[in-house]
Amino acid sequence: MRILICDGLHPQGLDILRADPDVEVLAPDQPSAELIREILPECDAMVVRSRTKVTADLLENAPRLKVIGRAGTGVDNIQVQAASARGILVMNTPGANAMAAAEHTMALMLALARHVPQATQSMREGRWDKKRFMGTELYQQTLGIVGLGKIGTIVADRALGFKMNVLAHDPHITPETAAILGTEWVELDKLWSRADFITLHTPLTAETRNLINRDTLSKMKKGVRIINCARGGLIDEEALYEAIVSGHVAGAALDVFAKEPPEGSPLLRLPNVIFTPHLGASSTQAQENVSRAIAMQILDYLKRGIIRNAVNFPSMSAREYDRLRPYMRLAEQLGHLHGQLSTPIERVDIEYSGPELQELPLDPLTQSIAKGLLDPILAEKVNLVNAPLLLQERKIQLTATRTTATQGYTGLIRVTVESKGQKKSATGAVFPGNEIRLIRFNTYRLEAELEGINLIVQNKDTPGVIGFIGTTLGTFHINIANMHLSRTPEKDKAVAIIRLDTEAPEEALNALRANPMILSVEQVRL
């Protein structure tokens, strides 16, 4: 396996990767976009920070690429949708640099409040401007935190240590959770109007881009100070410049910018704005943590299939993966079965039941079913990452529900597919030893292996049919490995799932279909 390191990585992470005998690490020094494009076609993984831009065009040139690792939190330099469409996992390392980013936020807040950089520069120039740099305390001031994730939570804790009043807004947490952290959850408009200091800790999305703009700035109290150590695009920098020049905003401390480096930005000319060159994660400890985390995550995925901190696939712990693995195999095989029996697929309904499946994340199972469904249908590469997008492209509706019914099994997966107005259903279970079985097909109860080459023969329940099937296959020198039989409660129809040693030719299938007692014959490869 080849792993390309695009923007440098701390030696601890490189050592983890290089210690694996199956891994070749390519780590050119600050490679150009042209060099990355040249090397990438032979790589299974790439690691980037904020410098390298991973575009759809670049990914077109990466047929082997399975995973992109962002050594850090933000992934706005990666076109995640394009990666997902090509089945490439995108993962980051949230939390590995949280302490560094939170402490840098506090450092900038204090420096902004007490004019530390400006006073330092004044002294370098031989002046003693004691009166010029009158500051403000943090004590009993109100801090507004937008985004109460890991970094925002650490900032809140530190600010409370300074005896600040802390307001917080995060659409993904409840007021009760905010209260447990010692903060007051408020709507954004209230945060803008009440805060003396505002700090941003949200990802950059379509909803958060230019979150601070002329409108929101006008709602803030006069003299507010703004800190941003998150993502540059969160602030309309032109609007911020105007608000500072007018005196409405007292100052700002910025570690990130819409364009990096921010060449020509008018903010650079303002004496009451302080800057650092994207240093939020630049501590020795953070770089060690990030490098170790991304190296281990990539190896876990490439070698063991364990997914952690993915932004385009549900993450799971190693323990969850061990418990999910047989169910993921069952789910994919049920999807694979339906993908060969039902075309065109219009709708998929999935039901998960049993006590074991009440405790486990189900999204990986649903995506395994989607992959199995599409594998027999599409010529393009289908995997767990791009399968949901491919379903959407084909307007295939999918629903998944969880029930507590057990039917005597610890975990059951039932997949019902609608095609041309007809429904077919298959239910599977995991048996002791992690063996997977098909236990119900439509209304038929049985217990069949979900592997190999199988004939599914539905027939009228009359004597002689099974003998005819065996004789016909024997005529074509097709050996039967095993056979599972079932019939309807009315005893008018039956099904045979017949495992074959070799694939039956079309002539054999047509010979079976010629018998008026046989209703359908379908061959599936699992």
Side-chain angles (χ1 to χ4, degrees):
M1 296 180 293
R2 284 186 173 178
I3 300 177
L4 172 62
I5 312 298
C6 295
D7 301 333
L9 196 65
H10 191 278
Q12 286 202 11
L14 290 173
D15 289 345
I16 291 170
L17 295 174
R18 287 171 174 154
D20 192 301
D22 298 324
V23 170
E24 179 185 355
V25 177
L26 306 176
D29 184 31
Q30 296 290 299
S32 64
E34 292 73 21
L35 182 59
I36 292 171
R37 184 178 295 274
E38 180 183 330
I39 297 173
L40 198 56
E42 301 302 318
C43 295
D44 301 280
M46 67 187 300
V47 177
V48 302
R49 296 187 64 192
S50 58
R51 185 182 71 95
T52 296
K53 308 302 179 189
V54 184
T55 64
D57 180 56
L58 181 65
L59 295 177
E60 295 241 344
N61 196 41
R64 281 177 47 176
L65 195 65
K66 301 176 183 68
V67 57
I68 301 166
R70 167 66 164 94
T73 303
V75 292
D76 43 289
N77 58 315
I78 301 169
Q79 291 188 2
V80 176
Q81 185 81 358
S84 299
R86 298 186 65 84
I88 300 167
L89 191 74
V90 179
M91 56 175 61
N92 62 356
T93 54
N97 58 6
M99 187 60 71
E103 289 187 357
H104 195 66
T105 299
M106 295 305 298
L108 288 183
M109 192 185 311
L110 285 163
L112 181 63
R114 302 304 296 268
H115 309 294
V116 174
Q118 298 93 327
T120 300
Q121 183 60 33
S122 173
M123 290 192 67
R124 289 189 194 282
E125 295 169 358
R127 297 196 298 275
W128 186 262
D129 294 325
K130 190 171 181 180
K131 294 183 178 178
R132 179 183 170 196
F133 298 117
M134 180 68 67
T136 183
E137 298 175 3
L138 300 188
Y139 177 66
Q140 291 191 343
Q141 295 287 291
T142 297
L143 172 64
I145 300 176
V146 183
L148 205 57
K150 189 161 288 190
I151 297 171
T153 297
I154 296 172
V155 170
D157 178 70
R158 301 306 186 264
L160 290 167
F162 277 89
K163 306 301 182 185
M164 299 185 81
N165 305 309
V166 182
L167 309 177
H169 176 84
D170 190 319
H172 305 295
I173 69 164
T174 64
E176 292 75 19
T177 301
I180 291 170
L181 298 172
T183 68
E184 179 188 351
W185 193 99
V186 294
E187 294 291 351
L188 269 178
D189 281 355
K190 287 190 176 180
L191 186 146
W192 302 140
S193 65
R194 291 173 55 187
D196 300 298
F197 291 81
I198 293 172
T199 180
L200 305 179
H201 299 286
T202 72
L204 180 63
T205 66
E207 291 74 27
T208 62
R209 184 175 294 279
N210 289 336
L211 180 66
I212 290 183
N213 52 51
R214 287 181 178 84
D215 178 55
T216 53
L217 284 164
S218 70
K219 297 175 181 177
M220 297 177 191
K221 65 161 61 174
K222 183 176 174 59
V224 67
R225 291 171 171 86
I226 297 169
I227 302 99
N228 186 14
C229 289
R231 312 306 297 171
L234 298 175
I235 297 177
D236 179 339
E237 293 175 5
E238 184 178 339
L240 178 61
Y241 171 81
E242 293 170 0
I244 294 172
V245 169
S246 73
H248 186 69
V249 174
L254 306 176
D255 183 52
V256 289
F257 308 88
K259 175 188 173 186
E260 295 185 353
E263 298 171 356
S265 171
L267 289 168
L268 295 171
R269 302 194 297 267
L270 297 180
N272 47 346
V273 182
I274 62 176
F275 311 92
T276 50
H278 207 140
L279 299 181
S282 294
S283 73
T284 301
Q285 297 89 338
Q287 293 310 300
E288 290 176 359
N289 294 340
V290 164
S291 68
R292 282 197 305 268
I294 201 64
M296 294 173 69
Q297 287 173 207
I298 285 177
L299 290 179
D300 277 346
Y301 178 60
L302 290 179
K303 303 195 75 172
R304 291 174 282 279
I306 298 172
I307 299 172
R308 286 181 290 125
N309 297 325
V311 301
N312 59 346
F313 189 83
S315 294
M316 65 187 96
S317 66
R319 181 174 175 273
E320 286 175 332
Y321 178 72
D322 286 340
R323 295 176 67 190
L324 272 174
R325 183 162 45 185
Y327 285 102
M328 289 176 71
R329 189 160 57 92
L330 171 64
E332 184 169 344
Q333 291 293 66
L334 289 172
H336 206 58
L337 175 68
H338 275 299
Q340 296 172 76
L341 296 178
S342 305
T343 54
I345 298 171
E346 298 164 2
R347 182 181 175 86
V348 182
D349 293 300
I350 306 166
E351 183 180 285
Y352 300 104
S353 59
E356 190 160 36
L357 292 183
Q358 302 305 306
E359 305 170 1
L360 295 172
L362 299 183
D363 284 346
L365 302 182
T366 301
Q367 293 182 224
S368 296
I369 291 169
K371 177 183 183 300
L373 279 169
L374 295 173
D375 259 336
I377 299 171
L378 304 180
E380 62 211 84
K381 179 179 73 172
V382 182
N383 65 19
L384 297 176
V385 176
N386 67 356
L389 289 175
L390 293 171
L391 276 184
Q392 291 174 16
E393 287 177 3
R394 282 151 185 79
K395 303 295 189 293
I396 298 173
Q397 298 180 53
L398 185 147
T399 62
T401 58
R402 191 193 315 240
T403 72
T404 56
T406 62
Q407 301 178 39
Y409 296 89
T410 58
L412 288 180
I413 302 176
R414 181 184 182 190
V415 182
T416 303
V417 170
E418 186 172 339
S419 173
K420 298 179 180 177
Q422 295 186 333
K423 292 183 178 181
K424 291 181 180 177
S425 175
T427 305
V430 176
F431 280 53
N434 286 339
E435 293 187 10
I436 62 174
R437 293 285 187 273
L438 177 68
I439 63 166
R440 184 186 287 267
F441 180 72
N442 293 332
T443 59
Y444 300 106
R445 293 181 179 274
L446 37 76
E447 195 176 296
E449 297 88 352
L450 278 163
E451 58 183 27
I453 301 167
N454 291 269
L455 288 186
I456 300 177
V457 181
Q458 296 187 75
N459 57 276
K460 295 179 181 179
D461 192 15
T462 57
V465 174
I466 298 303
F468 171 76
I469 292 171
T471 301
T472 302
L473 292 175
T475 301
F476 287 90
H477 307 290
I478 305 298
N479 193 52
I480 295 175
N482 57 45
M483 180 183 294
H484 299 272
L485 305 172
S486 183
R487 62 182 180 179
T488 59
E490 297 79 16
K491 300 180 182 180
D492 60 338
K493 295 178 185 176
V495 69
I497 298 184
I498 306 162
R499 176 90 170 272
L500 306 179
D501 284 346
T502 56
E503 191 169 317
E506 192 64 26
E507 294 86 353
L509 303 182
N510 288 334
L512 292 172
R513 292 173 182 135
N515 187 322
M517 294 296 105
I518 291 180
L519 304 173
S520 66
V521 179
E522 295 166 298
Q523 184 167 232
V524 295
R525 302 155 192 83
L526 300 172

